[in-house]
Amino acid sequence: MSLAAHDAGAPAFDVARVREDFPILHREVHGKPLVYFDTAASAQRPLAVIEAVSDFYRHHNANIHRGVHTLSQEATDAYEGARDRIAAFINAPSRDELVFTRGTTESINLVAQAYLRPRVGPGDQVLVSQMEHHSNIVPWQMLCRQTGAELKVIPFDDDGVLDMAAFRALLSERVKLVGIVMVSNALGTVNPVAEICREAAALDIPVLVDGAQAMPHQAVDVQALGCSFFCFSGHKMYGPTGIGGLWAPLSLLEAMEPYQGGGEMIRRVSFETTEFNDPPGKFEAGTPNIAGAVGLGAAVDYLQGLGMDAIGAYEAGLLAAGTERLLQVEGLRIVGTAPHKAGVISFTLEGIHPHDIGTIIDHHGVAIRTGHHCAMPAIARFGLPATARASLGLYNTVEEFGVLADALEQTRAMFA
Ligand code: PLP
């Protein structure tokens, strides 16, 4: 397979050139060139992001909003400018609909507590899928404990494909929110999120989409999805850690109570009462991760420069070639074989514990993740406590899958 893949009309994708943008890819691990297959846990950062953060601290650092001095105004412009670009990246109708959070986990907790908690009680239901990350399970369980509502689960089949018939059967007027992952971090399944949103909307049920693993792999258009809430993390999409976002229509954000109290989320405070700020400030209490937002803005610029369609096309070819190569390893079983996948190959190797695999191939310079991937119910569905997971990013190559497969074959030989 060629290393270059591109859509007609999209810019050509030159992976060798792209790799030059990532300084960390030039280091060695245990004397071997680093092969990084752990992007689903956290992506590596391009120089453009590293430099944007560094430039912010070197030249513009100050607290934002309300400052009259030059640095504060520059910092505010950088922070709010990043909001403009990230909102446009997901095709939000308004920049005011993008709330900066620490990431997907905080965004989901925010929706659970600020939106749903005052709107549910005993007898009501929250619907999530069996392949959710713990971040899209536990906040709803906590909410259910607080309110007496009930958590219901949409199952998936042996390939990791969501059971849409079961989803339809579970939909009722008792369901007050559906939480669904767009791309599963444990299985790689791409879910039919637009269809889910359409069917839930017919019953006026809001849908929260966990977009953590979708953002790095495909263009996201929140309007086309038709969701009520969209959550994502900067560090999964080549930006900094500790920054991410929640998108929701202004009408919903306006109707919601604040999540946390403190600075920036207020308009006026007295001991008698407090008047809250308008969204998005209403949900950004305290000094935010200013440099993180600036870095995430740079990550979005970087991704747009490469073109999300070009990235998606390249990665689809890489996933297919990587799957083919790994299946040549004797005793390797792929966990999650949905026809529509992105970014992730979870697998087991007969007779060898995933943690042993991960530790041994680290000595070949290969970084993969092993365990339950913070999606214990999804892995348990296959009767497994853990899998090994190779997750790819826009900088990986077919040759690196060869290195991974060779390392796995050598691991097998050690256990023979
Ligand atoms: N949802 C999915 C699908 C994920 O893969 C992750 C992280 O692995 C999360 C949510 C949580 O993201 P964060 O830890 O950045 O909040």
Side-chain angles (χ1 to χ4, degrees), residues 98-133:
L98 178 65
V99 178
F100 280 127
T101 63
R102 283 191 296 128
T104 307
T105 303
E106 189 176 53
S107 298
I108 297 172
N109 277 279
L110 193 166
V111 175
Q113 293 300 318
Y115 171 74
L116 204 52
R117 190 172 176 177
R119 291 170 175 79
V120 290
D124 291 333
Q125 296 176 343
V126 178
L127 199 53
V128 296
S129 87
Q130 195 178 10
M131 70 177 85
E132 298 307 312
H133 187 281

Side-chain angles (χ1 to χ4, degrees), residues 45-381:
R45 289 19 164 202
L47 210 52
V49 169
I50 297 167
E51 282 177 348
V53 173
S54 167
D55 177 73
F56 175 78
Y57 282 127
R58 283 170 188 275
H59 302 295
H60 311 288
N61 180 51
N63 210 333
I64 54 170
H65 300 142
R66 292 181 302 277
V68 293
H69 63 78
T70 299
L71 288 189
S72 176
Q73 287 172 6
E74 287 177 8
T76 303
D77 289 348
Y79 180 76
E80 294 300 341
R83 193 194 310 274
D84 288 335
R85 305 201 309 286
I86 300 160
F89 186 64
I90 57 171
N91 197 28
S94 161
R95 67 179 310 279
D96 294 334
E97 298 180 344
L98 178 65
V99 178
F100 280 127
T101 63
R102 283 191 296 128
T104 307
T105 303
E106 189 176 53
S107 298
I108 297 172
N109 277 279
L110 193 166
V111 175
Q113 293 300 318
Y115 171 74
L116 204 52
R117 190 172 176 177
R119 291 170 175 79
V120 290
D124 291 333
Q125 296 176 343
V126 178
L127 199 53
V128 296
S129 87
Q130 195 178 10
M131 70 177 85
E132 298 307 312
H133 187 281
H134 298 162
S135 292
N136 204 18
I137 300 174
V138 183
W140 308 117
Q141 278 175 331
M142 291 164 63
L143 171 95
C144 288
R145 275 191 211 155
Q146 290 159 344
T147 61
E150 192 188 359
L151 190 65
K152 302 293 278 185
V153 182
I154 314 161
F156 62 78
D157 71 12
D158 291 345
D159 288 318
V161 174
L162 199 68
D163 183 341
M164 288 298 284
F167 164 66
R168 287 179 194 114
L170 284 162
L171 273 187
S172 76
E173 74 288 346
R174 292 173 68 192
V175 176
K176 299 304 175 209
L177 184 134
V178 177
I180 185 73
V181 69
M182 194 157 167
V183 177
S184 158
N185 69 306
L187 309 174
T189 306
V190 179
N191 283 316
V193 166
E195 195 180 331
I196 289 168
C197 291
R198 224 176 13 255
E199 297 191 17
L203 292 177
D204 275 337
I205 301 168
V207 177
L208 174 144
V209 176
D210 172 350
Q213 299 294 343
M215 289 289 268
H217 301 303
Q218 65 183 89
V220 167
D221 178 337
V222 291
Q223 296 188 61
L225 284 179
C227 59
S228 299
F229 302 100
F230 187 87
C231 310
F232 59 96
S233 299
H235 70 109
K236 311 278 191 197
M237 50 186 288
Y238 309 98
T241 44
I243 188 76
L246 166 68
W247 172 83
L250 213 48
S251 55
L252 269 180
L253 293 176
E254 278 165 350
M256 283 159 62
E257 286 294 299
Y259 177 46
Q260 295 173 331
E264 186 49 28
M265 51 75 72
I266 57 90
R267 185 171 298 133
R268 201 167 293 106
V269 177
S270 71
F271 282 112
E272 287 69 42
T273 186
T274 289
E275 203 181 305
F276 302 131
N277 203 344
D278 293 328
K282 180 179 168 185
F283 299 101
E284 294 181 4
T287 301
N289 183 352
I290 306 164
V294 170
L296 184 51
V300 160
D301 294 344
Y302 180 77
L303 290 171
Q304 279 179 323
L306 293 176
M308 289 311 296
D309 289 345
I311 293 168
Y314 173 72
E315 289 185 352
L318 188 60
L319 185 66
T323 302
E324 200 179 311
R325 177 65 187 92
L326 290 187
L327 284 173
Q328 289 165 6
V329 177
E330 211 185 312
L332 186 141
R333 172 189 159 212
I334 292 184
V335 178
T337 46
H340 194 189
K341 282 180 64 173
V344 166
I345 306 176
S346 257
F347 60 92
T348 57
L349 206 48
E350 198 182 356
I352 311 176
H353 194 282
H355 288 305
D356 292 333
I357 301 172
T359 307
I360 293 167
I361 70 172
D362 178 55
H363 285 82
H364 294 255
V366 183
I368 60 164
R369 186 141 298 239
T370 61
H372 51 63
H373 318 297
C374 295
M376 280 173 117
I379 300 300
R381 161 70 176 73

